[in-house]
Amino acid sequence: MRILILGNGKMGSFFSDLLSFNHEIAVFEKDLKRMRFIYNALRFSTMDQVKEFAPELVINCVTLSYTEAAFREVMPYLPQGCILSDIASVKTGLKDFYEQSGFRYVSVHPMFGPTFANLGNLQTENAIIINEPQHKDASGKVAVRGTDYMGMIFYRDLFSSLKLNVREYTFDGHDEVVAYSLSIPFASTLVFGSIMKHQEVPGTTFKKHLAIAHGLLSEDDYLLTEILFNPNTNGQLQGIIDKLNELKEIVAAKDSAAMKQFLDGVRERVK
């Protein structure tokens, strides 16, 4: 398959390396310095090169804030049968974009990244494939295009080859999962970092939390903001606040029985 990768950041280069021995890969990147170490793939810097390549699949790996803009720039140069795909952590607005684009599409979310994951061993990591159903009008004609079947098969096979745990959700279902699995740890880490003081003799747990905070804050501000602005995040934040208040009351009262019950509840949830 002829595959065009937009952006050669960490995830773009990961997909380029991963796919280059089984597919014909081209990478489009405006920052030419980022393409210095591309191996076994074509390097593109103009849309005329993209048009001549005629990709069958586009994998959009640009920075989140430019995802739609990158698609809009390249779409006039793509063959009509090309499948658009993205790996964005935040899907806000993408459903409407894809439905209006006129192109086949598949949206995925590798639930791992270069900050914390070992990209050479992903057996304990997860990935989401958006499976958005198509909708037909009264005459049986497709009124709203859904996730492309062949695009889903491509990513399902790819993720399975990496031994990832793969799950399928709609766009709305994905946003609910992200609000729980990303918003909670992001918010908790940001609160920890916001009240942190330098420690001359930090404990092991403190150092681990600090390392997580450093890793999180190395991510793009737009990514962090959009994940936390997920419409489902407020409910998760309220859950954190409620539990903090409960713990605060237990500590203030020095209620050993209540603390034991609280700890047992936590252990039951995380086991």
Side-chain angles (χ1 to χ4, degrees):
M1 181 183 290
R2 293 186 307 280
I3 300 174
L4 174 67
I5 296 175
L6 301 179
N8 197 50
K10 292 179 180 178
M11 291 303 288
S13 62
F14 168 72
F15 277 97
S16 174
D17 291 343
L18 178 65
L19 297 168
S20 63
F21 289 96
N22 295 311
H23 301 275
E24 188 177 355
I25 303 299
V27 178
F28 179 85
E29 172 60 64
K30 292 183 177 180
D31 184 353
L32 299 182
K33 291 181 180 179
R34 284 191 167 191
M35 294 197 289
R36 287 177 297 178
F37 304 111
I38 289 178
Y39 177 73
N40 204 34
L42 300 171
R43 299 171 173 86
F44 289 172
S45 58
T46 70
M47 288 300 166
D48 287 338
Q49 293 171 302
V50 171
K51 184 176 182 179
E52 184 177 353
F53 183 64
E56 299 166 85
L57 172 70
V58 172
I59 304 178
N60 192 334
C61 297
V62 303
T63 303
L64 178 64
S65 56
Y66 297 106
T67 299
E68 287 192 28
F71 273 141
R72 294 187 190 283
E73 182 178 9
V74 75
M75 279 165 47
Y77 302 90
L78 300 177
Q80 189 58 42
C82 182
I83 302 172
L84 302 182
S85 72
D86 72 275
I87 61 167
S89 302
V90 177
K91 304 299 185 184
T92 305
L94 280 175
K95 179 181 178 181
D96 290 340
F97 168 80
Y98 280 130
E99 291 176 353
Q100 296 167 13
S101 72
F103 282 86
R104 301 158 63 191
Y105 75 85
V106 56
S107 184
V108 301
H109 183 183
M111 299 289 284
F112 57 86
T115 301
F116 295 116
N118 176 4
L119 297 181
N121 182 10
L122 297 170
Q123 296 185 32
T124 61
E125 303 293 344
N126 305 289
I128 291 173
I129 298 176
I130 303 298
N131 186 359
E132 192 71 29
Q134 67 177 11
H135 298 283
K136 297 181 179 180
D137 59 23
S139 66
K141 182 179 179 181
V142 175
V144 178
R145 186 191 297 268
T147 300
D148 184 77
Y149 177 75
M150 295 307 298
M152 286 183 60
I153 293 297
F154 171 83
Y155 277 106
R156 191 180 296 139
D157 290 346
L158 176 63
F159 291 153
S160 295
S161 72
L162 297 172
K163 303 188 185 316
L164 291 166
N165 175 44
V166 181
R167 290 291 182 268
E168 296 179 7
Y169 295 95
T170 62
F171 280 106
D172 289 341
H174 167 271
D175 287 348
E176 292 176 6
V177 169
V178 167
Y180 179 78
S181 63
L182 293 183
S183 295
I184 288 178
F186 280 21
S188 301
T189 300
L190 290 172
V191 170
F192 164 80
S194 69
I195 63 172
M196 196 201 74
K197 295 181 180 179
H198 175 72
Q199 300 292 313
E200 294 183 354
V201 285
T204 302
T205 302
F206 182 92
K207 287 190 290 185
K208 287 182 178 180
H209 277 282
L210 183 59
I212 292 173
H214 282 308
L216 180 66
L217 292 171
S218 71
E219 298 285 1
D220 179 71
D221 285 358
Y222 183 87
L223 170 65
L224 299 179
T225 301
E226 289 302 303
I227 286 175
L228 291 171
F229 282 0
N230 183 318
N232 299 285
T233 295
N234 274 341
Q236 302 299 336
L237 291 179
Q238 188 59 53
I240 295 175
I241 293 169
D242 291 344
K243 282 299 177 181
L244 280 174
N245 284 331
E246 180 183 347
L247 182 59
K248 180 181 177 182
E249 291 176 3
I250 292 171
V251 171
K254 294 183 171 58
D255 188 335
S256 297
M259 179 60 79
K260 177 66 167 61
Q261 186 176 5
F262 187 91
L263 294 174
D264 286 345
V266 175
R267 289 192 178 95
E268 182 63 26
R269 282 184 170 272
V270 302
K271 70 178 182 180

mmCIF file of all heavy atoms in Angstrom, residues 25-57:
data_model
loop_
_atom_site.group_PDB
_atom_site.id
_atom_site.type_symbol
_atom_site.label_atom_id
_atom_site.label_comp_id
_atom_site.label_asym_id
_atom_site.label_seq_id
_atom_site.Cartn_x
_atom_site.Cartn_y
_atom_site.Cartn_z
ATOM 1 N N ILE A 25 6.255 3.936 1.633
ATOM 2 C CA ILE A 25 6.008 5.042 2.557
ATOM 3 C C ILE A 25 6.613 6.338 2.031
ATOM 4 O O ILE A 25 7.742 6.372 1.534
ATOM 5 C CB ILE A 25 6.603 4.740 3.952
ATOM 6 C CG1 ILE A 25 6.040 3.446 4.507
ATOM 7 C CG2 ILE A 25 6.353 5.906 4.907
ATOM 8 C CD1 ILE A 25 4.544 3.445 4.705
ATOM 9 N N ALA A 26 5.836 7.410 2.178
ATOM 10 C CA ALA A 26 6.339 8.761 1.927
ATOM 11 C C ALA A 26 6.000 9.616 3.142
ATOM 12 O O ALA A 26 4.930 9.461 3.741
ATOM 13 C CB ALA A 26 5.716 9.352 0.669
ATOM 14 N N VAL A 27 6.911 10.503 3.488
ATOM 15 C CA VAL A 27 6.709 11.387 4.635
ATOM 16 C C VAL A 27 6.704 12.827 4.144
ATOM 17 O O VAL A 27 7.647 13.264 3.468
ATOM 18 C CB VAL A 27 7.817 11.202 5.685
ATOM 19 C CG1 VAL A 27 7.618 12.171 6.851
ATOM 20 C CG2 VAL A 27 7.853 9.761 6.182
ATOM 21 N N PHE A 28 5.629 13.553 4.473
ATOM 22 C CA PHE A 28 5.564 14.984 4.151
ATOM 23 C C PHE A 28 5.859 15.770 5.414
ATOM 24 O O PHE A 28 5.184 15.618 6.434
ATOM 25 C CB PHE A 28 4.186 15.364 3.610
ATOM 26 C CG PHE A 28 4.073 16.828 3.291
ATOM 27 C CD1 PHE A 28 4.499 17.319 2.071
ATOM 28 C CD2 PHE A 28 3.552 17.725 4.216
ATOM 29 C CE1 PHE A 28 4.406 18.681 1.778
ATOM 30 C CE2 PHE A 28 3.453 19.074 3.938
ATOM 31 C CZ PHE A 28 3.884 19.559 2.710
ATOM 32 N N GLU A 29 6.873 16.614 5.349
ATOM 33 C CA GLU A 29 7.287 17.398 6.513
ATOM 34 C C GLU A 29 7.835 18.738 6.027
ATOM 35 O O GLU A 29 8.730 18.781 5.182
ATOM 36 C CB GLU A 29 8.348 16.631 7.303
ATOM 37 C CG GLU A 29 9.002 17.400 8.423
ATOM 38 C CD GLU A 29 8.025 17.870 9.483
ATOM 39 O OE1 GLU A 29 7.422 17.017 10.150
ATOM 40 O OE2 GLU A 29 7.873 19.106 9.620
ATOM 41 N N LYS A 30 7.301 19.823 6.574
ATOM 42 C CA LYS A 30 7.748 21.149 6.158
ATOM 43 C C LYS A 30 9.099 21.519 6.765
ATOM 44 O O LYS A 30 9.856 22.291 6.178
ATOM 45 C CB LYS A 30 6.697 22.186 6.548
ATOM 46 C CG LYS A 30 5.401 22.040 5.758
ATOM 47 C CD LYS A 30 4.398 23.127 6.109
ATOM 48 C CE LYS A 30 3.149 23.003 5.269
ATOM 49 N NZ LYS A 30 2.144 24.059 5.576
ATOM 50 N N ASP A 31 9.384 20.996 7.949
ATOM 51 C CA ASP A 31 10.674 21.241 8.598
ATOM 52 C C ASP A 31 11.667 20.208 8.075
ATOM 53 O O ASP A 31 11.700 19.063 8.535
ATOM 54 C CB ASP A 31 10.542 21.144 10.111
ATOM 55 C CG ASP A 31 11.830 21.490 10.849
ATOM 56 O OD1 ASP A 31 12.874 21.678 10.185
ATOM 57 O OD2 ASP A 31 11.795 21.571 12.097
ATOM 58 N N LEU A 32 12.471 20.596 7.094
ATOM 59 C CA LEU A 32 13.346 19.642 6.411
ATOM 60 C C LEU A 32 14.346 18.981 7.353
ATOM 61 O O LEU A 32 14.773 17.848 7.127
ATOM 62 C CB LEU A 32 14.093 20.345 5.271
ATOM 63 C CG LEU A 32 13.205 20.951 4.177
ATOM 64 C CD1 LEU A 32 14.054 21.580 3.082
ATOM 65 C CD2 LEU A 32 12.268 19.903 3.591
ATOM 66 N N LYS A 33 14.724 19.666 8.439
ATOM 67 C CA LYS A 33 15.684 19.085 9.374
ATOM 68 C C LYS A 33 15.131 17.834 10.040
ATOM 69 O O LYS A 33 15.883 16.952 10.449
ATOM 70 C CB LYS A 33 16.064 20.120 10.442
ATOM 71 C CG LYS A 33 16.887 21.280 9.904
ATOM 72 C CD LYS A 33 17.254 22.250 11.021
ATOM 73 C CE LYS A 33 18.083 23.403 10.498
ATOM 74 N NZ LYS A 33 18.438 24.377 11.579
ATOM 75 N N ARG A 34 13.818 17.752 10.154
ATOM 76 C CA ARG A 34 13.194 16.583 10.790
ATOM 77 C C ARG A 34 13.277 15.331 9.916
ATOM 78 O O ARG A 34 12.991 14.232 10.384
ATOM 79 C CB ARG A 34 11.734 16.867 11.112
ATOM 80 C CG ARG A 34 11.521 17.761 12.320
ATOM 81 C CD ARG A 34 10.064 17.756 12.704
ATOM 82 N NE ARG A 34 9.846 18.345 14.016
ATOM 83 C CZ ARG A 34 8.696 18.279 14.689
ATOM 84 N NH1 ARG A 34 7.679 17.629 14.152
ATOM 85 N NH2 ARG A 34 8.577 18.835 15.866
ATOM 86 N N MET A 35 13.623 15.520 8.645
ATOM 87 C CA MET A 35 13.660 14.370 7.741
ATOM 88 C C MET A 35 15.076 13.846 7.511
ATOM 89 O O MET A 35 15.285 12.981 6.666
ATOM 90 C CB MET A 35 13.012 14.738 6.402
ATOM 91 C CG MET A 35 11.523 15.019 6.516
ATOM 92 S SD MET A 35 10.658 14.959 4.927
ATOM 93 C CE MET A 35 11.277 16.453 4.152
ATOM 94 N N ARG A 36 16.034 14.331 8.291
ATOM 95 C CA ARG A 36 17.425 13.934 8.070
ATOM 96 C C ARG A 36 17.662 12.447 8.267
ATOM 97 O O ARG A 36 18.508 11.849 7.601
ATOM 98 C CB ARG A 36 18.348 14.714 9.017
ATOM 99 C CG ARG A 36 18.521 16.185 8.645
ATOM 100 C CD ARG A 36 19.380 16.910 9.657
ATOM 101 N NE ARG A 36 18.747 16.921 10.970
ATOM 102 C CZ ARG A 36 19.313 17.454 12.059
ATOM 103 N NH1 ARG A 36 20.517 17.987 11.983
ATOM 104 N NH2 ARG A 36 18.668 17.445 13.211
ATOM 105 N N PHE A 37 16.934 11.827 9.187
ATOM 106 C CA PHE A 37 17.233 10.447 9.542
ATOM 107 C C PHE A 37 16.135 9.473 9.107
ATOM 108 O O PHE A 37 16.055 8.367 9.628
ATOM 109 C CB PHE A 37 17.451 10.339 11.057
ATOM 110 C CG PHE A 37 18.523 11.270 11.564
ATOM 111 C CD1 PHE A 37 18.192 12.346 12.374
ATOM 112 C CD2 PHE A 37 19.850 11.091 11.203
ATOM 113 C CE1 PHE A 37 19.173 13.222 12.824
ATOM 114 C CE2 PHE A 37 20.832 11.961 11.650
ATOM 115 C CZ PHE A 37 20.500 13.028 12.469
ATOM 116 N N ILE A 38 15.321 9.865 8.155
ATOM 117 C CA ILE A 38 14.300 8.965 7.629
ATOM 118 C C ILE A 38 14.972 7.840 6.863
ATOM 119 O O ILE A 38 15.879 8.059 6.052
ATOM 120 C CB ILE A 38 13.316 9.718 6.720
ATOM 121 C CG1 ILE A 38 12.435 10.647 7.551
ATOM 122 C CG2 ILE A 38 12.457 8.743 5.926
ATOM 123 C CD1 ILE A 38 11.462 11.461 6.730
ATOM 124 N N TYR A 39 14.529 6.612 7.126
ATOM 125 C CA TYR A 39 15.124 5.451 6.482
ATOM 126 C C TYR A 39 14.054 4.679 5.723
ATOM 127 O O TYR A 39 12.962 4.450 6.231
ATOM 128 C CB TYR A 39 15.760 4.536 7.542
ATOM 129 C CG TYR A 39 16.352 3.263 6.981
ATOM 130 C CD1 TYR A 39 17.545 3.282 6.252
ATOM 131 C CD2 TYR A 39 15.710 2.039 7.159
ATOM 132 C CE1 TYR A 39 18.086 2.130 5.737
ATOM 133 C CE2 TYR A 39 16.250 0.865 6.653
ATOM 134 C CZ TYR A 39 17.439 0.915 5.936
ATOM 135 O OH TYR A 39 17.966 -0.243 5.423
ATOM 136 N N ASN A 40 14.375 4.289 4.507
ATOM 137 C CA ASN A 40 13.514 3.424 3.696
ATOM 138 C C ASN A 40 12.154 4.056 3.405
ATOM 139 O O ASN A 40 11.133 3.365 3.339
ATOM 140 C CB ASN A 40 13.315 2.068 4.391
ATOM 141 C CG ASN A 40 12.959 0.969 3.397
ATOM 142 O OD1 ASN A 40 13.422 0.968 2.269
ATOM 143 N ND2 ASN A 40 12.124 0.022 3.821
ATOM 144 N N ALA A 41 12.135 5.380 3.263
ATOM 145 C CA ALA A 41 10.895 6.085 2.934
ATOM 146 C C ALA A 41 11.223 7.314 2.102
ATOM 147 O O ALA A 41 12.327 7.870 2.192
ATOM 148 C CB ALA A 41 10.154 6.491 4.202
ATOM 149 N N LEU A 42 10.269 7.735 1.286
ATOM 150 C CA LEU A 42 10.442 8.930 0.466
ATOM 151 C C LEU A 42 10.257 10.179 1.324
ATOM 152 O O LEU A 42 9.466 10.185 2.275
ATOM 153 C CB LEU A 42 9.423 8.937 -0.673
ATOM 154 C CG LEU A 42 9.490 7.753 -1.644
ATOM 155 C CD1 LEU A 42 8.290 7.773 -2.590
ATOM 156 C CD2 LEU A 42 10.788 7.791 -2.435
ATOM 157 N N ARG A 43 10.971 11.232 0.976
ATOM 158 C CA ARG A 43 10.862 12.505 1.686
ATOM 159 C C ARG A 43 10.167 13.525 0.786
ATOM 160 O O ARG A 43 10.667 13.842 -0.281
ATOM 161 C CB ARG A 43 12.254 13.030 2.067
ATOM 162 C CG ARG A 43 13.056 12.122 2.980
ATOM 163 C CD ARG A 43 14.486 12.671 3.094
ATOM 164 N NE ARG A 43 15.284 11.972 4.078
ATOM 165 C CZ ARG A 43 15.968 10.860 3.847
ATOM 166 N NH1 ARG A 43 15.944 10.327 2.629
ATOM 167 N NH2 ARG A 43 16.677 10.289 4.796
ATOM 168 N N PHE A 44 9.028 14.032 1.238
ATOM 169 C CA PHE A 44 8.270 15.007 0.460
ATOM 170 C C PHE A 44 8.225 16.344 1.187
ATOM 171 O O PHE A 44 8.054 16.400 2.404
ATOM 172 C CB PHE A 44 6.827 14.534 0.235
ATOM 173 C CG PHE A 44 6.684 13.385 -0.726
ATOM 174 C CD1 PHE A 44 5.451 12.762 -0.883
ATOM 175 C CD2 PHE A 44 7.760 12.928 -1.474
ATOM 176 C CE1 PHE A 44 5.300 11.704 -1.764
ATOM 177 C CE2 PHE A 44 7.615 11.868 -2.363
ATOM 178 C CZ PHE A 44 6.381 11.253 -2.501
ATOM 179 N N SER A 45 8.350 17.415 0.412
ATOM 180 C CA SER A 45 8.216 18.757 0.980
ATOM 181 C C SER A 45 7.300 19.639 0.142
ATOM 182 O O SER A 45 7.079 20.795 0.466
ATOM 183 C CB SER A 45 9.595 19.427 1.098
ATOM 184 O OG SER A 45 10.232 19.499 -0.175
ATOM 185 N N THR A 46 6.746 19.084 -0.962
ATOM 186 C CA THR A 46 5.815 19.836 -1.800
ATOM 187 C C THR A 46 4.572 18.999 -2.095
ATOM 188 O O THR A 46 4.621 17.761 -2.094
ATOM 189 C CB THR A 46 6.450 20.242 -3.149
ATOM 190 O OG1 THR A 46 6.634 19.065 -3.957
ATOM 191 C CG2 THR A 46 7.794 20.927 -2.930
ATOM 192 N N MET A 47 3.472 19.670 -2.363
ATOM 193 C CA MET A 47 2.224 18.975 -2.652
ATOM 194 C C MET A 47 2.240 18.321 -4.031
ATOM 195 O O MET A 47 1.520 17.345 -4.274
ATOM 196 C CB MET A 47 1.044 19.941 -2.541
ATOM 197 C CG MET A 47 0.734 20.333 -1.107
ATOM 198 S SD MET A 47 0.321 18.887 -0.105
ATOM 199 C CE MET A 47 0.441 19.565 1.546
ATOM 200 N N ASP A 48 3.069 18.815 -4.941
ATOM 201 C CA ASP A 48 3.192 18.162 -6.241
ATOM 202 C C ASP A 48 3.741 16.749 -6.086
ATOM 203 O O ASP A 48 3.336 15.827 -6.807
ATOM 204 C CB ASP A 48 4.104 18.978 -7.165
ATOM 205 C CG ASP A 48 3.434 20.256 -7.661
ATOM 206 O OD1 ASP A 48 2.181 20.304 -7.647
ATOM 207 O OD2 ASP A 48 4.153 21.201 -8.038
ATOM 208 N N GLN A 49 4.652 16.563 -5.148
ATOM 209 C CA GLN A 49 5.177 15.226 -4.880
ATOM 210 C C GLN A 49 4.088 14.312 -4.330
ATOM 211 O O GLN A 49 4.014 13.132 -4.678
ATOM 212 C CB GLN A 49 6.344 15.315 -3.887
ATOM 213 C CG GLN A 49 7.586 16.015 -4.421
ATOM 214 C CD GLN A 49 8.614 16.259 -3.333
ATOM 215 O OE1 GLN A 49 8.325 16.917 -2.327
ATOM 216 N NE2 GLN A 49 9.818 15.730 -3.527
ATOM 217 N N VAL A 50 3.249 14.878 -3.471
ATOM 218 C CA VAL A 50 2.132 14.108 -2.914
ATOM 219 C C VAL A 50 1.190 13.667 -4.028
ATOM 220 O O VAL A 50 0.766 12.502 -4.085
ATOM 221 C CB VAL A 50 1.363 14.951 -1.871
ATOM 222 C CG1 VAL A 50 0.077 14.244 -1.456
ATOM 223 C CG2 VAL A 50 2.237 15.220 -0.658
ATOM 224 N N LYS A 51 0.860 14.578 -4.929
ATOM 225 C CA LYS A 51 -0.063 14.272 -6.029
ATOM 226 C C LYS A 51 0.484 13.163 -6.905
ATOM 227 O O LYS A 51 -0.241 12.235 -7.285
ATOM 228 C CB LYS A 51 -0.315 15.531 -6.850
ATOM 229 C CG LYS A 51 -1.334 15.338 -7.957
ATOM 230 C CD LYS A 51 -1.616 16.653 -8.675
ATOM 231 C CE LYS A 51 -2.679 16.456 -9.747
ATOM 232 N NZ LYS A 51 -2.997 17.739 -10.441
ATOM 233 N N GLU A 52 1.756 13.228 -7.212
ATOM 234 C CA GLU A 52 2.377 12.202 -8.046
ATOM 235 C C GLU A 52 2.419 10.846 -7.342
ATOM 236 O O GLU A 52 2.252 9.796 -7.957
ATOM 237 C CB GLU A 52 3.800 12.635 -8.428
ATOM 238 C CG GLU A 52 4.501 11.678 -9.379
ATOM 239 C CD GLU A 52 5.871 12.169 -9.791
ATOM 240 O OE1 GLU A 52 6.229 13.320 -9.445
ATOM 241 O OE2 GLU A 52 6.597 11.399 -10.451
ATOM 242 N N PHE A 53 2.615 10.854 -6.042
ATOM 243 C CA PHE A 53 2.685 9.621 -5.248
ATOM 244 C C PHE A 53 1.329 8.922 -5.186
ATOM 245 O O PHE A 53 1.238 7.695 -5.125
ATOM 246 C CB PHE A 53 3.165 9.969 -3.835
ATOM 247 C CG PHE A 53 3.356 8.795 -2.922
ATOM 248 C CD1 PHE A 53 4.307 7.818 -3.193
ATOM 249 C CD2 PHE A 53 2.594 8.677 -1.758
ATOM 250 C CE1 PHE A 53 4.491 6.739 -2.338
ATOM 251 C CE2 PHE A 53 2.769 7.613 -0.890
ATOM 252 C CZ PHE A 53 3.720 6.630 -1.179
ATOM 253 N N ALA A 54 0.245 9.689 -5.196
ATOM 254 C CA ALA A 54 -1.130 9.175 -5.171
ATOM 255 C C ALA A 54 -1.334 8.167 -4.044
ATOM 256 O O ALA A 54 -1.582 6.979 -4.283
ATOM 257 C CB ALA A 54 -1.480 8.531 -6.520
ATOM 258 N N PRO A 55 -1.251 8.608 -2.803
ATOM 259 C CA PRO A 55 -1.357 7.670 -1.676
ATOM 260 C C PRO A 55 -2.733 7.019 -1.576
ATOM 261 O O PRO A 55 -3.745 7.604 -1.955
ATOM 262 C CB PRO A 55 -1.086 8.554 -0.458
ATOM 263 C CG PRO A 55 -1.483 9.929 -0.894
ATOM 264 C CD PRO A 55 -1.100 10.001 -2.347
ATOM 265 N N GLU A 56 -2.731 5.796 -1.051
ATOM 266 C CA GLU A 56 -3.980 5.087 -0.793
ATOM 267 C C GLU A 56 -4.458 5.321 0.641
ATOM 268 O O GLU A 56 -5.631 5.118 0.953
ATOM 269 C CB GLU A 56 -3.775 3.594 -1.033
ATOM 270 C CG GLU A 56 -3.367 3.258 -2.464
ATOM 271 C CD GLU A 56 -2.848 1.844 -2.596
ATOM 272 O OE1 GLU A 56 -3.681 0.929 -2.764
ATOM 273 O OE2 GLU A 56 -1.618 1.650 -2.513
ATOM 274 N N LEU A 57 -3.528 5.715 1.492
ATOM 275 C CA LEU A 57 -3.839 5.987 2.895
ATOM 276 C C LEU A 57 -2.987 7.150 3.378
ATOM 277 O O LEU A 57 -1.788 7.212 3.064
ATOM 278 C CB LEU A 57 -3.548 4.753 3.760
ATOM 279 C CG LEU A 57 -3.645 4.921 5.285
ATOM 280 C CD1 LEU A 57 -5.103 5.118 5.704
ATOM 281 C CD2 LEU A 57 -3.045 3.726 6.009
#
